[in-house]
Amino acid sequence: MANRLIALLVVAGLAAMLLPLVIGFTFHEDTPALGAEYIERSETDLGAANAVTAVVVTYRGLDTLGEVTVLFAATAGVGFVITRRRRTPEFAVREGRSVGAHAGIESTEASSLAGQGPSEILRTASRFLAPVLFLFGAYIFVHGHLTPGGGFQGGVVIASAVVLGIFGAPDRQLAHGTMTTIESLSGASYVVLGILGLVLAAGFLDPTFLPAGSFGALASAGAIPIIYSVVGIKVGTELAGVVDRLRSQEQD
Amino acid sequence: MTTAIILVLGAIMVCAAIVALLHTSLVTSILSAGAVSLVASIIYLVLAAPDVAMTEAAIGSALTTIVFLFALSRLREPGRTSDETTQTRSGEEHPHG
Amino acid sequence: MQLIPAIGALLIVIGAWGMLTQRNMLKMVIGFSIIDTGVHVMIVALGYVTGGVAPILDGEAPVGAPFVDPVPSALVLTAIVIGLAVTALMLTYVVRLARTKGTLEVSEYKEMKW
């Protein structure tokens, strides 16, 4: 019971700390000065229509670099703790049985479901939808400077497309060598683009070394689409690799 | 009008969070946590932040749930002894837990 | 609208309570994920301007309504992705631990307490 009491005290302390923030809360009446400055400059200096993209890629570019690094460290941690083994077809049967069993299906149904892998609907749908999802993800991060969206959202959609492909064909191996190569190359090109900004323009990760172009066109806003696309590819392949490692394996 | 919508959304979020932490079945907990993220993405839209809404819907509601469910299935598969050298391939059928 | 920071704070408190009282390791990770969501809701609520619109420009005449602050949105964008990566890392440790003893109850791992 002492544990419960301590937990209650900690939670009450947390609530007491949050209370002044909640009670005296008023929303801004007008855009705060820093935000208004960023929005105005993203139109005149950078030519990006999406101000949040301009803030993430340019004005807070070092935060994005830190985020890419943290993602890489977490992925490396996951890869270090869980090792991969080659999946045999016999194991795919076992996985089908265990997944059926823990989803609460009756034992007779489970044994009839096992050994078949995914159903016909799932196989066909995943083969049809996965390329469409890839295209959609690429569209999202290429248009990141024009519409809501960008590298992270597009990368996550690409990772979801890979997961759909995994569901449709569970006994096929994911090409881990290719994915790690793509991920490392994307991370390196992100830093190279930053250094290009340092050498050719005003500072690290400054995208104005490419021309700003006409406002609202696809090829505008300097190097922002290129930087964000690289971030999107990196995030997508990274998350797909992490999700794939967590799949059931035969042995750890 | 907006206050009513926010009240309903907030009630759904809080109830889903409580269900996620108190329910005995782990699959229900994981799906409730996904529901919390989904309603949070609607609140981000009300707050006029579409980028954050897209990211939260894709990551919190889809990828986090998938990651949790994969981890859960990894814990429930048969033959999970820790010692790899003595693991037999006789294929014990019934899952533990 | 004033309710949204209160909802976020309530989520943080519920998640913290869940992390401290639940004995199942998977539920602790779920509690952490709920705390994360609550914090993000509060941060995005900090950037809202009354009657504001999303900061997507059109290149034409200025909109009648003020723009929402883009900086908290940008910070939360990064934070959500990092939250996923940290949750995945925590889950791999839970899976690894649970395979050594075969149980998810935290009270079974007492030999590490001094």
Side-chain angles (χ1 to χ4, degrees):
Chain A
M1 283 305 112
N3 272 341
R4 283 250 131 134
L5 199 56
I6 294 178
L8 210 57
L9 278 177
V10 168
V11 168
L14 193 60
M17 280 196 297
L18 286 172
L19 206 58
L21 189 56
V22 167
I23 289 193
F25 196 90
T26 51
F27 290 111
H28 299 282
E29 290 305 316
D30 201 4
T31 317
L34 184 63
E37 190 73 18
Y38 279 159
I39 293 178
E40 190 182 314
R41 282 185 192 254
S42 99
E43 179 168 4
T44 54
D45 288 349
L46 298 177
N50 189 352
V52 177
T53 299
V55 172
V56 167
V57 173
T58 312
Y59 297 119
R60 290 255 161 222
L62 285 179
D63 291 346
T64 309
L65 182 64
E67 183 262 345
V68 160
T69 312
V70 168
L71 257 188
F72 174 68
T75 310
V78 170
F80 187 61
V81 174
I82 296 188
T83 55
R84 271 182 311 116
R85 295 297 176 97
R86 281 203 71 81
R87 300 169 56 81
T88 61
E90 173 193 307
F91 179 69
V93 169
R94 255 210 234 156
E95 181 183 54
R97 203 171 282 144
S98 77
V99 166
H102 90 71
I105 306 181
E106 296 294 324
S107 58
T108 51
E109 272 182 50
S111 48
S112 73
L113 275 182
Q116 293 174 11
S119 69
E120 177 80 31
I121 296 178
L122 186 54
R123 265 182 289 148
T124 317
S126 75
R127 251 186 307 172
F128 174 64
L129 280 179
V132 176
L133 276 181
F134 267 110
L135 189 63
F136 186 52
Y139 161 79
I140 291 181
F141 64 65
V142 164
H143 282 75
H145 57 296
L146 298 174
T147 54
F152 299 125
Q153 291 88 336
V156 170
V157 170
I158 285 186
S160 308
V162 171
V163 168
L164 185 62
I166 289 177
F167 282 151
D171 42 344
R172 287 218 275 169
Q173 292 269 55
L174 205 57
H176 269 275
T178 315
M179 278 176 44
T180 40
T181 316
I182 292 179
E183 176 190 334
S184 320
L185 278 179
S186 319
S189 27
Y190 181 64
V191 177
V192 163
L193 283 169
I195 295 182
L196 269 180
L198 184 64
V199 165
L200 295 173
F204 188 66
L205 278 178
D206 193 3
T208 54
F209 62 90
L210 283 182
S214 57
F215 192 78
L218 183 56
S220 66
I224 288 185
I226 305 179
I227 295 180
Y228 228 5
S229 307
V230 161
V231 168
I233 295 174
K234 179 175 180 35
V235 167
T237 47
E238 214 156 33
L239 290 180
V242 163
V243 170
D244 181 55
R245 275 197 190 276
L246 277 174
R247 269 200 297 164
S248 292
Q249 298 289 337
E250 210 174 314
Q251 300 165 344
D252 260 333
Chain B
M1 177 61 185
T2 320
T3 314
I5 294 180
I6 293 179
L7 209 56
V8 168
L9 290 177
I12 296 179
M13 263 175 110
V14 169
C15 289
I18 294 181
V19 162
L21 289 171
L22 284 184
H23 205 274
T24 44
S25 157
L26 281 176
V27 177
T28 311
S29 297
I30 294 170
L31 293 177
S32 291
V36 170
S37 288
L38 201 59
V39 177
S41 88
I42 302 180
I43 290 190
Y44 292 142
L45 264 186
V46 170
L47 285 174
D51 302 78
V52 183
M54 275 175 76
T55 311
E56 175 74 33
I59 290 187
S61 168
L63 277 190
T64 304
T65 310
I66 289 178
V67 161
F68 269 113
L69 286 175
F70 274 170
L72 188 63
S73 85
R74 213 178 167 146
L75 288 170
R76 298 261 187 100
E77 64 188 8
R80 1 160 259 203
T81 53
S82 63
D83 197 351
E84 292 175 352
T85 57
T86 63
Q87 182 178 12
T88 58
R89 295 274 297 262
S90 57
E92 188 183 16
E93 289 308 286
H94 64 276
H96 299 278
Chain C
M1 273 304 188
Q2 306 291 104
L3 286 173
I4 294 185
I7 294 174
L10 203 54
L11 275 182
I12 297 178
V13 167
I14 291 177
W17 175 84
M19 267 186 95
L20 287 173
T21 57
Q22 292 296 320
R23 293 290 118 210
N24 192 332
M25 287 199 285
L26 214 55
K27 294 227 176 129
M28 287 180 175
V29 180
I30 291 180
F32 172 79
S33 174
I34 292 180
I35 292 181
D36 227 9
T37 306
V39 169
H40 296 155
V41 167
M42 285 191 85
I43 295 180
V44 173
L46 278 178
Y48 182 67
V49 171
T50 316
V53 294
I56 316 274
L57 306 155
D58 245 345
E60 300 160 353
V63 188
F67 282 119
V68 162
D69 197 1
V71 178
S73 290
L75 300 177
V76 168
L77 219 53
T78 309
I80 292 178
V81 179
I82 292 185
L84 169 71
V86 170
T87 305
L89 192 57
M90 282 165 67
L91 278 176
T92 61
Y93 282 122
V94 165
V95 162
R96 206 64 169 114
L97 260 184
R99 287 175 86 96
T100 60
K101 279 214 203 299
T103 173
L104 276 175
E105 298 290 310
V106 153
S107 40
E108 295 290 320
Y109 294 89
K110 273 199 177 3
E111 76 264 4
M112 303 229 212
K113 286 170 79 160
W114 38 270

